[in-house]
């Protein structure tokens, strides 16, 4: 089954009388467990597309389907629950909560979903182990390196066993070798957990290592190239 599916979606921003057409007639499908890159230069509309796929914003035309359900048919609270339970997010900057430990940050999606602190912390500890950070559990984000913070963000994104992980330039803020490790880890864990993985990037070589590359230029999808 397709995890994410959209047909003929367009997006135009309207701010204070200015209309900015950003996406034009985009159709795509992401299959279960598949790793897909959305590749394009800055301003091509990648982040906008990712936001539409995540239901964070609505298309001007067309619909987005997640596991067969039209996102437009869901209430804000249904959407929020779906995002918390079925989707994981990773951004260029980690967005960890500064006043919570690494463990508490990873446990947060489970706590929001209503799990007891004890069970949530146990699961979070497992995920921190998966990303090689068992020894950093009680550290605050400010006491972690950039790469460690991204690994905590990965653990948090995966803690609910999401159907799909959506990542926006997840290594853009890291040096090359740390970025490479983070990217490898994300790919490895999502393959192991059979999570679909969609990454938005301007980096051609990172994109080429996904199962499939969707190139976007000036808001239009160019090609369906096959990765390795
Ligand atoms: P990318 O992620 O590829 O850099 P974005 O999706 O962030 O591209 O942006 C694509 C275009 O949409 C840019 O020209 C940007 O200025 C414009 N844009 C993004 N968000 C908004 C918004 N909220 N209002 C108006 N224009 C926007
Ligand atoms: P950028 O660096 O491209 O500006 P960031 O990496 O700072 O973006 O990511 C912040 C993004 O988080 C925003 O674009 C916003 O749309 C997104 N966001 C806001 N609220 C939520 C939410 N509840 N769940 C997931 N993402 C969110």
């Amino acid at each position: 089954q397709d995890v994410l599916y959209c047909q003929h979606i367009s997006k135009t921003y309207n701010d204070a009388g200015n209309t900015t057409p950003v996406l034009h007639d985009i159709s795509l499908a992401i299959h279960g467990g598949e790793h897909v890159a959305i590749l394009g230069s800055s301003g091509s509309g990648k982040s906008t597309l990712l936001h539409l796929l995540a239901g964070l914003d609505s298309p001007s035309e067309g619909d987005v389907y997640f596991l067969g359900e039209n996102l437009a048919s869901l209430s804000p609270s249904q959407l929020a629950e779906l995002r918390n339970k079925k989707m994981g997010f990773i951004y260029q900057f980690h967005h960890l909560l500064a006043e919570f430990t690494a463990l508490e940050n990873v446990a947060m999606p489970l706590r929001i979903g209503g799990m007891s602190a004890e069970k949530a912390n146990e699961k979070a500890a497992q995920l921190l182990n998966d990303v090689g950070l068992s020894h950093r559990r009680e550290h605050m984000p400010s006491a972690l390196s950039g790469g460690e913070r991204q690994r905590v963000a990965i653990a948090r994104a995966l803690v609910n066993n999401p159907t799909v992980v959506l990542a926006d330039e997840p290594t853009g803020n890291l040096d090359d070798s740390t970025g490479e490790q983070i990217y490898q880890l994300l790919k490895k864990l999502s393959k192991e957990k059979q999570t679909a993985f969609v990454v938005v990037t301007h980096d051609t070589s990172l994109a080429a290592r996904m199962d499939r590359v969707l190139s976007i230029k000036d808001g239009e999808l160019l090609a369906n190239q096959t990765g390795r």
Side-chain angles (χ1 to χ4, degrees):
Q1 192 194 11
D2 291 335
V3 170
L4 272 166
Y5 168 80
C6 65
Q7 215 165 15
H8 305 303
I9 58 168
S10 299
K11 179 68 182 176
T12 299
Y13 288 108
N14 292 295
D15 298 317
N18 294 313
T19 59
T20 314
V22 174
L23 296 177
H24 179 64
D25 197 18
I26 303 247
S27 301
L28 59 83
I30 311 288
H31 315 301
E34 190 185 25
H35 287 190
V36 176
I38 297 172
L39 174 69
S41 54
S42 179
S44 57
K46 306 181 296 294
S47 299
T48 300
L49 179 55
L50 202 71
H51 285 171
L52 297 183
L53 295 177
L56 290 168
D57 199 357
S58 313
S60 311
E61 287 171 54
D63 290 296
V64 178
Y65 293 82
F66 180 75
L67 298 175
E69 262 195 299
N70 188 341
L71 294 185
S73 72
L74 302 178
S75 70
S77 68
Q78 286 173 321
L79 251 184
E81 178 169 341
L82 184 150
R83 271 203 298 275
N84 183 55
K85 298 220 160 131
K86 302 278 175 79
M87 298 178 176
F89 295 94
I90 298 172
Y91 302 103
Q92 180 167 4
F93 298 100
H94 53 84
H95 293 288
L96 299 176
L97 299 170
E99 61 274 34
F100 293 98
T101 66
L103 186 77
E104 288 165 342
N105 267 282
V106 175
M108 196 66 67
L110 301 172
R111 298 288 286 134
I112 290 170
M115 192 181 281
S116 71
E118 195 188 357
K119 280 178 80 178
N121 287 345
E122 196 178 309
K123 185 88 213 287
Q126 267 173 33
L127 267 291
L128 279 177
N129 186 50
D130 289 346
V131 300
L133 283 184
S134 287
H135 58 305
R136 294 283 185 264
R137 256 183 250 185
E138 303 306 326
H139 283 57
M140 305 306 278
S142 59
L144 299 172
S145 71
E148 286 173 338
R149 286 177 202 158
Q150 269 321 52
R151 283 197 268 163
V152 175
I154 291 171
R156 180 183 55 182
L158 293 172
V159 77
N160 258 328
N161 298 318
T163 308
V164 62
V165 167
L166 303 168
D168 194 343
E169 301 281 9
T171 62
N173 192 36
L174 303 170
D175 65 68
D176 286 352
S177 87
T178 309
E180 174 64 26
Q181 287 170 26
I182 292 297
Y183 198 67
Q184 291 290 356
L185 182 64
L186 250 171
K187 283 203 310 176
K188 173 174 164 278
L189 290 177
S190 16
K191 278 292 175 201
E192 276 173 19
K193 295 174 192 291
Q194 300 182 326
T195 305
F197 175 29
V198 180
V199 65
V200 150
T201 184
H202 65 273
D203 187 325
T204 315
S205 61
L206 285 192
R209 286 153 44 202
M210 303 293 272
D211 299 330
R212 195 150 59 95
V213 180
L214 302 172
S215 297
I216 186 170
K217 187 172 183 223
D218 299 333
E220 297 194 42
L221 280 190
L222 291 185
N224 255 331
Q225 307 154 242
T226 308
R228 57 176 170 184

